[in-house]
Amino acid sequence: MSRIHGVIEGGSLLARIAFRACRKKIGRVVRPVRVHALYNRLLFGYGQMEMAQEKATTVPVALKSLAQLRVATRIGCPF
């Protein structure tokens, strides 16, 4: 369990938008997004990185999903 709890509800406009997007994509707001929401500039950079990774076309989408699953399994990520 992490020592930083992050933003639970509300927050800035950017945080609310990020929470909504996360709920739409994953079904819930994950802890990294809550922690990044503590600082707007950090959350903005995190969002830019996520969007760039999604739009990258060098690797097929199926392979990206498989790699994400493999990494999550290896590090013991709960989702």
Side-chain angles (χ1 to χ4, degrees):
M1 177 170 209
S2 74
R3 290 183 264 167
I4 302 173
H5 299 289
V7 176
I8 302 300
E9 286 185 22
S12 67
L13 176 62
L14 182 61
R16 291 192 304 263
I17 291 170
F19 289 175
R20 186 177 302 127
C22 190
R23 278 191 205 101
K24 183 178 178 183
K25 183 176 179 182
I26 300 175
R28 64 184 177 98
V29 180
V30 293
R31 185 168 304 233
V33 176
R34 292 187 189 281
V35 171
H36 284 99
L38 290 170
Y39 300 100
N40 283 333
R41 292 179 70 190
L42 183 63
L43 181 62
F44 182 75
Y46 182 71
Q48 292 293 314
M49 180 192 69
E50 287 288 330
M51 287 191 301
Q53 288 175 349
E54 284 182 17
K55 290 182 181 182
T57 58
T58 307
V59 178
V61 175
L63 187 57
K64 279 193 234 181
S65 297
L66 185 61
Q68 288 174 348
L69 178 64
R70 178 71 174 152
V71 169
T73 303
R74 296 229 16 188
I75 64 172
C77 187
F79 62 94

Coordinates of all heavy atoms in Angstrom, one line a residue:
M1 N 0.8 -1.2 0.0 CA 0.0 0.0 0.0 C 0.9 1.2 0.0 O 1.9 1.3 0.7 CB -0.9 0.0 1.2 CG -1.8 1.2 1.4 SD -2.9 0.9 2.7 CE -4.2 1.9 2.1
S2 N 0.5 2.2 -0.8 CA 1.4 3.4 -0.9 C 1.1 4.3 0.2 O 0.0 4.3 0.8 CB 1.1 4.1 -2.3 OG -0.1 4.7 -2.3
R3 N 2.0 5.2 0.5 CA 1.8 6.2 1.6 C 1.2 7.4 1.0 O 0.7 8.2 1.8 CB 3.2 6.5 2.2 CG 3.7 5.4 3.0 CD 5.0 5.8 3.6 NE 6.1 5.3 2.8 CZ 7.3 5.7 2.9 NH1 7.7 6.5 3.8 NH2 8.3 5.2 2.1
I4 N 1.1 7.6 -0.3 CA 0.5 8.8 -0.9 C -0.9 8.4 -1.4 O -1.0 7.5 -2.2 CB 1.3 9.4 -2.0 CG1 2.7 9.7 -1.5 CG2 0.6 10.6 -2.6 CD1 3.7 10.1 -2.6
H5 N -1.9 9.0 -0.9 CA -3.3 8.6 -1.2 C -3.8 9.3 -2.5 O -4.7 8.8 -3.1 CB -4.2 8.8 0.0 CG -3.8 8.0 1.1 ND1 -4.0 6.6 1.2 CD2 -3.3 8.3 2.3 CE1 -3.5 6.1 2.3 NE2 -3.1 7.1 3.0
G6 N -3.3 10.5 -2.7 CA -3.8 11.2 -3.9 C -5.1 11.9 -3.7 O -5.7 11.9 -2.6
V7 N -5.7 12.4 -4.8 CA -6.9 13.1 -4.8 C -8.0 12.0 -4.8 O -8.1 11.2 -5.7 CB -7.0 14.0 -6.0 CG1 -8.4 14.7 -6.0 CG2 -5.9 15.0 -6.0
I8 N -9.0 12.1 -3.9 CA -10.1 11.2 -3.8 C -11.3 11.7 -4.7 O -11.7 10.9 -5.6 CB -10.6 11.0 -2.4 CG1 -9.4 10.5 -1.5 CG2 -11.7 10.0 -2.3 CD1 -8.8 9.2 -1.9
E9 N -11.7 12.9 -4.5 CA -12.8 13.4 -5.3 C -12.5 14.9 -5.6 O -11.8 15.5 -4.8 CB -14.1 13.3 -4.5 CG -14.7 11.9 -4.5 CD -16.1 11.9 -3.8 OE1 -16.7 13.0 -3.8 OE2 -16.4 10.9 -3.3
G10 N -13.2 15.4 -6.6 CA -13.0 16.8 -6.9 C -11.7 17.1 -7.5 O -11.3 16.5 -8.5
G11 N -11.0 18.0 -6.9 CA -9.7 18.5 -7.4 C -9.9 19.5 -8.5 O -11.0 20.1 -8.7
S12 N -8.9 19.7 -9.3 CA -9.0 20.7 -10.4 C -9.8 20.2 -11.5 O -10.2 19.0 -11.6 CB -7.6 21.0 -10.9 OG -7.0 19.9 -11.5
L13 N -10.1 21.1 -12.5 CA -10.8 20.7 -13.7 C -10.1 19.6 -14.4 O -10.7 18.7 -14.9 CB -11.1 21.9 -14.5 CG -11.8 21.7 -15.9 CD1 -13.2 21.2 -15.6 CD2 -11.8 23.0 -16.7
L14 N -8.8 19.8 -14.5 CA -8.0 18.8 -15.2 C -8.1 17.4 -14.6 O -8.2 16.4 -15.2 CB -6.5 19.2 -15.3 CG -5.6 18.3 -16.0 CD1 -6.0 18.1 -17.5 CD2 -4.1 18.8 -15.9
A15 N -8.1 17.4 -13.2 CA -8.2 16.1 -12.5 C -9.6 15.5 -12.7 O -9.6 14.3 -12.9 CB -8.0 16.4 -11.0
R16 N -10.6 16.3 -12.7 CA -12.0 15.7 -13.0 C -12.1 15.1 -14.4 O -12.7 14.1 -14.6 CB -13.0 16.8 -12.7 CG -13.1 17.2 -11.2 CD -14.3 18.0 -10.9 NE -14.4 19.2 -11.7 CZ -14.1 20.4 -11.3 NH1 -13.5 20.6 -10.1 NH2 -14.2 21.5 -12.1
I17 N -11.5 15.8 -15.4 CA -11.5 15.3 -16.7 C -10.7 14.0 -16.8 O -11.1 13.0 -17.4 CB -10.9 16.3 -17.7 CG1 -11.9 17.5 -17.8 CG2 -10.6 15.7 -19.1 CD1 -11.3 18.7 -18.5
A18 N -9.5 14.0 -16.1 CA -8.7 12.7 -16.1 C -9.4 11.6 -15.4 O -9.4 10.4 -15.9 CB -7.4 13.0 -15.5
F19 N -10.1 11.9 -14.3 CA -10.9 10.8 -13.6 C -12.0 10.3 -14.5 O -12.2 9.1 -14.6 CB -11.5 11.4 -12.3 CG -10.5 11.7 -11.3 CD1 -10.9 12.3 -10.1 CD2 -9.1 11.4 -11.4 CE1 -10.0 12.5 -9.1 CE2 -8.2 11.7 -10.4 CZ -8.7 12.2 -9.2
R20 N -12.7 11.2 -15.2 CA -13.7 10.7 -16.1 C -13.2 9.8 -17.2 O -13.8 8.8 -17.5 CB -14.5 11.9 -16.7 CG -15.7 11.5 -17.5 CD -16.5 12.7 -18.0 NE -16.9 13.6 -16.9 CZ -16.7 14.9 -16.9 NH1 -16.1 15.5 -17.9 NH2 -17.1 15.6 -15.8
A21 N -12.1 10.2 -17.8 CA -11.5 9.5 -18.9 C -11.0 8.1 -18.4 O -11.1 7.1 -19.1 CB -10.3 10.2 -19.5
C22 N -10.4 8.1 -17.2 CA -9.9 6.8 -16.6 C -11.1 5.9 -16.3 O -11.0 4.7 -16.6 CB -9.2 7.1 -15.3 SG -8.3 5.7 -14.7
R23 N -12.2 6.4 -15.8 CA -13.4 5.6 -15.5 C -13.9 5.0 -16.8 O -14.4 3.9 -16.8 CB -14.5 6.4 -14.8 CG -14.3 6.5 -13.3 CD -15.5 7.1 -12.6 NE -15.1 7.7 -11.4 CZ -15.0 9.0 -11.2 NH1 -15.2 9.8 -12.2 NH2 -14.6 9.5 -10.1
K24 N -13.9 5.8 -17.9 CA -14.4 5.3 -19.2 C -13.5 4.2 -19.7 O -14.1 3.3 -20.3 CB -14.5 6.5 -20.1 CG -15.1 6.2 -21.5 CD -15.2 7.4 -22.4 CE -15.7 7.0 -23.7 NZ -15.7 8.2 -24.6
K25 N -12.2 4.4 -19.6 CA -11.3 3.4 -20.2 C -11.2 2.1 -19.3 O -11.2 1.0 -19.9 CB -9.9 4.1 -20.4 CG -8.9 3.2 -21.0 CD -7.6 3.9 -21.3 CE -6.6 3.0 -21.9 NZ -5.4 3.7 -22.1
I26 N -11.0 2.3 -18.0 CA -10.7 1.2 -17.1 C -11.9 0.7 -16.3 O -12.0 -0.4 -15.9 CB -9.5 1.5 -16.2 CG1 -8.3 1.8 -17.1 CG2 -9.2 0.4 -15.3 CD1 -7.1 2.3 -16.3
G27 N -12.8 1.7 -16.0 CA -13.9 1.3 -15.1 C -13.8 1.9 -13.7 O -14.8 1.9 -13.0
R28 N -12.6 2.4 -13.4 CA -12.4 3.0 -12.1 C -11.2 3.9 -12.2 O -10.5 3.8 -13.2 CB -12.2 1.9 -11.0 CG -11.0 1.1 -11.2 CD -10.8 0.0 -10.1 NE -9.7 -0.8 -10.3 CZ -8.5 -0.7 -9.7 NH1 -8.4 0.3 -8.8 NH2 -7.5 -1.5 -10.0
V29 N -11.0 4.7 -11.2 CA -9.9 5.6 -11.2 C -8.8 4.9 -10.4 O -8.9 4.6 -9.2 CB -10.2 7.0 -10.5 CG1 -9.0 7.9 -10.5 CG2 -11.4 7.6 -11.2
V30 N -7.7 4.7 -11.1 CA -6.6 3.9 -10.5 C -5.7 4.9 -9.7 O -5.7 6.1 -9.9 CB -5.7 3.2 -11.6 CG1 -6.6 2.1 -12.2 CG2 -5.3 4.1 -12.6
R31 N -4.9 4.3 -8.8 CA -4.1 5.1 -7.9 C -3.1 6.0 -8.5 O -2.9 7.2 -8.1 CB -3.4 4.2 -6.8 CG -2.7 5.0 -5.8 CD -2.3 4.2 -4.7 NE -3.4 3.5 -4.1 CZ -3.8 3.6 -2.8 NH1 -3.0 4.2 -2.0 NH2 -4.8 2.9 -2.4
P32 N -2.4 5.6 -9.6 CA -1.4 6.5 -10.2 C -2.1 7.8 -10.7 O -1.5 8.8 -10.6 CB -0.8 5.7 -11.4 CG -1.0 4.2 -11.0 CD -2.3 4.2 -10.2
V33 N -3.3 7.7 -11.2 CA -3.9 8.9 -11.7 C -4.3 9.8 -10.5 O -4.1 11.0 -10.6 CB -5.2 8.5 -12.5 CG1 -6.0 9.8 -12.9 CG2 -4.8 7.7 -13.8
R34 N -4.7 9.2 -9.4 CA -5.0 10.0 -8.2 C -3.8 10.7 -7.7 O -3.9 11.8 -7.2 CB -5.6 9.1 -7.1 CG -7.0 8.5 -7.5 CD -7.6 7.8 -6.3 NE -8.8 7.1 -6.6 CZ -10.0 7.7 -6.7 NH1 -10.1 9.0 -6.5 NH2 -11.0 7.0 -7.0
V35 N -2.7 10.0 -7.7 CA -1.4 10.6 -7.2 C -0.9 11.7 -8.1 O -0.5 12.8 -7.7 CB -0.4 9.5 -6.9 CG1 1.0 10.2 -6.6 CG2 -0.8 8.6 -5.8
H36 N -1.0 11.5 -9.4 CA -0.6 12.5 -10.4 C -1.5 13.7 -10.3 O -1.1 14.8 -10.6 CB -0.6 11.9 -11.8 CG 0.6 11.0 -12.1 ND1 0.5 9.7 -12.0 CD2 1.9 11.3 -12.4 CE1 1.7 9.1 -12.3 NE2 2.5 10.1 -12.5
A37 N -2.7 13.5 -9.9 CA -3.7 14.6 -9.8 C -3.4 15.6 -8.7 O -3.9 16.7 -8.6 CB -5.1 14.1 -9.6
L38 N -2.4 15.3 -7.8 CA -2.0 16.2 -6.8 C -1.4 17.5 -7.4 O -1.4 18.5 -6.8 CB -1.0 15.6 -5.8 CG -1.6 14.5 -4.9 CD1 -0.6 13.7 -4.2 CD2 -2.6 15.1 -3.9
Y39 N -0.7 17.3 -8.6 CA 0.0 18.4 -9.2 C -0.5 18.5 -10.7 O -0.3 17.5 -11.4 CB 1.5 18.3 -9.1 CG 2.0 18.2 -7.7 CD1 2.3 17.0 -7.1 CD2 2.1 19.4 -7.0 CE1 2.7 16.9 -5.8 CE2 2.5 19.3 -5.7 CZ 2.8 18.1 -5.1 OH 3.2 18.0 -3.8
N40 N -1.1 19.6 -11.1 CA -1.7 19.7 -12.4 C -0.6 19.5 -13.5 O -0.9 18.9 -14.5 CB -2.4 21.1 -12.6 CG -3.7 21.1 -11.9 OD1 -4.3 20.1 -11.8 ND2 -4.1 22.3 -11.5
R41 N 0.6 20.1 -13.4 CA 1.6 20.0 -14.4 C 2.0 18.5 -14.6 O 2.2 18.0 -15.7 CB 2.8 20.8 -14.1 CG 2.4 22.3 -14.2 CD 3.6 23.2 -13.8 NE 4.6 23.1 -14.9 CZ 5.8 23.6 -14.8 NH1 6.2 24.2 -13.7 NH2 6.6 23.5 -15.8
L42 N 2.1 17.8 -13.5 CA 2.5 16.4 -13.5 C 1.4 15.6 -14.2 O 1.6 14.7 -15.0 CB 2.8 15.9 -12.1 CG 3.2 14.4 -12.0 CD1 4.6 14.3 -12.7 CD2 3.3 14.0 -10.5
L43 N 0.1 15.8 -13.8 CA -1.0 15.2 -14.4 C -1.1 15.4 -15.9 O -1.4 14.5 -16.7 CB -2.3 15.6 -13.7 CG -3.6 14.9 -14.2 CD1 -3.5 13.4 -14.0 CD2 -4.8 15.5 -13.5
F44 N -0.8 16.7 -16.3 CA -0.9 17.0 -17.7 C 0.2 16.2 -18.5 O -0.1 15.7 -19.6 CB -0.7 18.5 -17.9 CG -0.7 19.0 -19.3 CD1 -1.9 19.1 -20.0 CD2 0.4 19.3 -20.0 CE1 -2.0 19.5 -21.3 CE2 0.4 19.7 -21.3 CZ -0.9 19.8 -22.0
G45 N 1.4 16.2 -18.0 CA 2.5 15.4 -18.6 C 2.2 13.9 -18.7 O 2.5 13.3 -19.7
Y46 N 1.6 13.4 -17.6 CA 1.2 12.0 -17.6 C 0.2 11.7 -18.7 O 0.3 10.7 -19.4 CB 0.7 11.6 -16.2 CG 0.3 10.2 -16.0 CD1 1.2 9.2 -15.9 CD2 -1.0 9.9 -15.9 CE1 0.9 7.9 -15.7 CE2 -1.4 8.6 -15.7 CZ -0.5 7.6 -15.6 OH -0.8 6.3 -15.4
G47 N -0.8 12.6 -18.8 CA -1.8 12.5 -19.8 C -1.2 12.5 -21.2 O -1.6 11.8 -22.1
Q48 N -0.3 13.4 -21.4 CA 0.3 13.6 -22.8 C 1.1 12.3 -23.1 O 1.1 11.8 -24.2 CB 1.3 14.8 -22.8 CG 0.6 16.1 -22.7 CD -0.2 16.4 -23.9 OE1 0.2 16.2 -25.0 NE2 -1.4 16.9 -23.7
M49 N 1.8 11.7 -22.1 CA 2.5 10.5 -22.3 C 1.6 9.3 -22.7 O 1.8 8.6 -23.6 CB 3.3 10.1 -21.1 CG 4.1 8.8 -21.3 SD 4.8 8.2 -19.7 CE 3.3 7.7 -18.9
E50 N 0.5 9.2 -22.0 CA -0.5 8.2 -22.2 C -1.1 8.3 -23.6 O -1.3 7.3 -24.3 CB -1.6 8.2 -21.2 CG -1.2 7.7 -19.8 CD -1.0 6.2 -19.8 OE1 -1.7 5.5 -20.5 OE2 -0.1 5.8 -19.0
M51 N -1.5 9.5 -24.0 CA -2.0 9.7 -25.3 C -1.0 9.4 -26.4 O -1.4 8.8 -27.5 CB -2.6 11.2 -25.5 CG -3.8 11.4 -24.7 SD -4.7 13.0 -25.0 CE -3.4 14.2 -24.7
A52 N 0.2 9.8 -26.2 CA 1.3 9.5 -27.2 C 1.5 8.0 -27.4 O 1.6 7.5 -28.5 CB 2.6 10.2 -26.8
Q53 N 1.4 7.3 -26.3 CA 1.6 5.8 -26.4 C 0.4 5.2 -27.1 O 0.6 4.2 -27.8 CB 1.8 5.2 -25.0 CG 3.1 5.6 -24.4 CD 3.2 5.1 -22.9 OE1 2.3 4.7 -22.3 NE2 4.4 5.1 -22.4
E54 N -0.8 5.7 -26.9 CA -2.0 5.1 -27.5 C -1.9 5.4 -29.0 O -2.4 4.6 -29.8 CB -3.2 5.7 -26.9 CG -3.6 5.1 -25.6 CD -4.9 5.7 -25.0 OE1 -5.7 6.3 -25.8 OE2 -5.2 5.5 -23.8
K55 N -1.5 6.6 -29.4 CA -1.5 7.0 -30.8 C -0.3 6.4 -31.6 O -0.3 6.5 -32.8 CB -1.5 8.5 -30.9 CG -2.8 9.1 -30.5 CD -2.8 10.6 -30.7 CE -4.2 11.1 -30.2 NZ -4.3 12.5 -30.4
A56 N 0.7 5.8 -30.9 CA 1.9 5.3 -31.6 C 1.4 4.1 -32.5 O 0.7 3.3 -32.1 CB 2.9 4.8 -30.6
T57 N 1.9 4.2 -33.8 CA 1.5 3.1 -34.7 C 2.6 2.2 -35.1 O 2.4 1.4 -36.0 CB 0.9 3.8 -36.0 OG1 1.9 4.7 -36.5 CG2 -0.3 4.6 -35.6
T58 N 3.8 2.3 -34.5 CA 4.9 1.4 -34.9 C 4.6 0.0 -34.5 O 4.9 -0.9 -35.3 CB 6.2 1.9 -34.2 OG1 6.4 3.3 -34.4 CG2 7.4 1.1 -34.7
V59 N 4.0 -0.2 -33.4 CA 3.6 -1.6 -32.9 C 2.1 -1.8 -33.0 O 1.4 -0.9 -32.7 CB 4.1 -1.7 -31.5 CG1 3.7 -3.1 -30.9 CG2 5.6 -1.5 -31.3
P60 N 1.7 -2.9 -33.5 CA 0.2 -3.2 -33.6 C -0.5 -3.1 -32.2 O 0.1 -3.4 -31.2 CB 0.1 -4.6 -34.1 CG 1.4 -4.9 -34.8 CD 2.4 -4.0 -34.0
V61 N -1.7 -2.7 -32.2 CA -2.5 -2.6 -31.0 C -2.6 -3.9 -30.2 O -2.4 -3.8 -28.9 CB -3.9 -2.1 -31.3 CG1 -4.8 -2.0 -30.0 CG2 -3.9 -0.7 -32.0
A62 N -2.7 -5.0 -30.8 CA -2.8 -6.3 -30.1 C -1.5 -6.6 -29.4 O -1.5 -7.1 -28.3 CB -3.1 -7.4 -31.1
L63 N -0.4 -6.2 -30.0 CA 0.9 -6.5 -29.4 C 1.1 -5.5 -28.2 O 1.7 -5.9 -27.2 CB 2.0 -6.3 -30.4 CG 3.4 -6.7 -30.0 CD1 3.5 -8.1 -29.5 CD2 4.4 -6.5 -31.1
K64 N 0.6 -4.3 -28.3 CA 0.7 -3.4 -27.2 C 0.0 -3.9 -26.0 O 0.4 -3.9 -24.8 CB 0.2 -2.0 -27.5 CG 1.1 -1.1 -28.3 CD 0.5 0.3 -28.3 CE 0.4 0.8 -29.7 NZ -0.2 2.1 -29.8
S65 N -1.3 -4.4 -26.2 CA -2.1 -4.9 -25.1 C -1.4 -6.1 -24.5 O -1.4 -6.3 -23.3 CB -3.5 -5.3 -25.7 OG -4.1 -4.2 -26.1
L66 N -0.8 -7.0 -25.3 CA -0.2 -8.2 -24.8 C 1.0 -7.8 -24.0 O 1.3 -8.4 -22.9 CB 0.3 -9.1 -26.0 CG 0.9 -10.4 -25.6 CD1 -0.1 -11.3 -24.8 CD2 1.4 -11.1 -26.8
A67 N 1.8 -6.8 -24.4 CA 3.0 -6.3 -23.6 C 2.5 -5.7 -22.3 O 3.2 -5.9 -21.3 CB 3.8 -5.3 -24.5
Q68 N 1.5 -4.9 -22.3 CA 1.0 -4.3 -21.1 C 0.6 -5.4 -20.1 O 0.9 -5.3 -18.9 CB -0.2 -3.4 -21.4 CG 0.2 -2.1 -22.0 CD -1.0 -1.3 -22.4 OE1 -2.2 -1.7 -22.4 NE2 -0.8 -0.1 -22.8
L69 N -0.1 -6.4 -20.6 CA -0.5 -7.5 -19.7 C 0.7 -8.3 -19.1 O 0.7 -8.6 -17.9 CB -1.4 -8.5 -20.5 CG -1.9 -9.7 -19.7 CD1 -2.8 -9.3 -18.5 CD2 -2.7 -10.6 -20.6
R70 N 1.7 -8.5 -20.0 CA 2.9 -9.2 -19.5 C 3.6 -8.4 -18.5 O 4.1 -9.0 -17.5 CB 3.8 -9.5 -20.7 CG 5.1 -10.1 -20.4 CD 4.9 -11.6 -20.0 NE 6.2 -12.2 -19.9 CZ 6.4 -13.2 -19.1 NH1 5.4 -13.7 -18.4 NH2 7.6 -13.7 -18.9
V71 N 3.8 -7.1 -18.7 CA 4.5 -6.3 -17.7 C 3.7 -6.2 -16.4 O 4.3 -6.4 -15.3 CB 4.7 -4.9 -18.3 CG1 5.2 -3.9 -17.2 CG2 5.7 -4.9 -19.4
A72 N 2.4 -6.1 -16.5 CA 1.6 -6.0 -15.3 C 1.7 -7.3 -14.5 O 1.8 -7.3 -13.3 CB 0.1 -5.8 -15.6
T73 N 1.7 -8.5 -15.2 CA 1.9 -9.8 -14.5 C 3.3 -9.9 -13.9 O 3.4 -10.4 -12.7 CB 1.7 -10.9 -15.6 OG1 0.4 -10.8 -16.2 CG2 1.8 -12.2 -14.9
R74 N 4.3 -9.4 -14.6 CA 5.6 -9.6 -14.0 C 5.9 -8.7 -12.8 O 6.6 -9.1 -11.9 CB 6.7 -9.2 -15.1 CG 6.6 -10.1 -16.2 CD 7.9 -10.7 -16.7 NE 9.0 -10.6 -15.9 CZ 10.2 -11.0 -16.3 NH1 10.4 -11.4 -17.5 NH2 11.2 -10.9 -15.5
I75 N 5.3 -7.5 -12.7 CA 5.5 -6.7 -11.6 C 4.5 -6.8 -10.5 O 4.5 -6.2 -9.4 CB 5.6 -5.2 -12.0 CG1 4.3 -4.7 -12.5 CG2 6.8 -5.0 -12.9 CD1 4.3 -3.2 -12.8
G76 N 3.5 -7.7 -10.7 CA 2.4 -7.9 -9.7 C 1.4 -6.9 -9.6 O 0.8 -6.6 -8.6
C77 N 1.1 -6.2 -10.8 CA 0.1 -5.1 -10.8 C -1.3 -5.7 -10.7 O -1.6 -6.8 -11.3 CB 0.2 -4.4 -12.1 SG -0.8 -2.9 -12.2
P78 N -2.2 -5.2 -9.9 CA -3.5 -5.8 -9.6 C -4.5 -5.6 -10.8 O -5.5 -6.3 -10.8 CB -4.0 -5.0 -8.4 CG -3.3 -3.7 -8.4 CD -2.0 -4.0 -9.0
F79 N -4.2 -4.8 -11.8 CA -5.1 -4.7 -12.9 C -4.4 -4.9 -14.1 O -4.1 -5.2 -15.0 CB -5.8 -3.3 -12.9 CG -4.9 -2.2 -13.1 CD1 -4.7 -1.6 -14.3 CD2 -4.3 -1.6 -12.0 CE1 -3.9 -0.5 -14.5 CE2 -3.5 -0.5 -12.1 CZ -3.3 0.0 -13.4

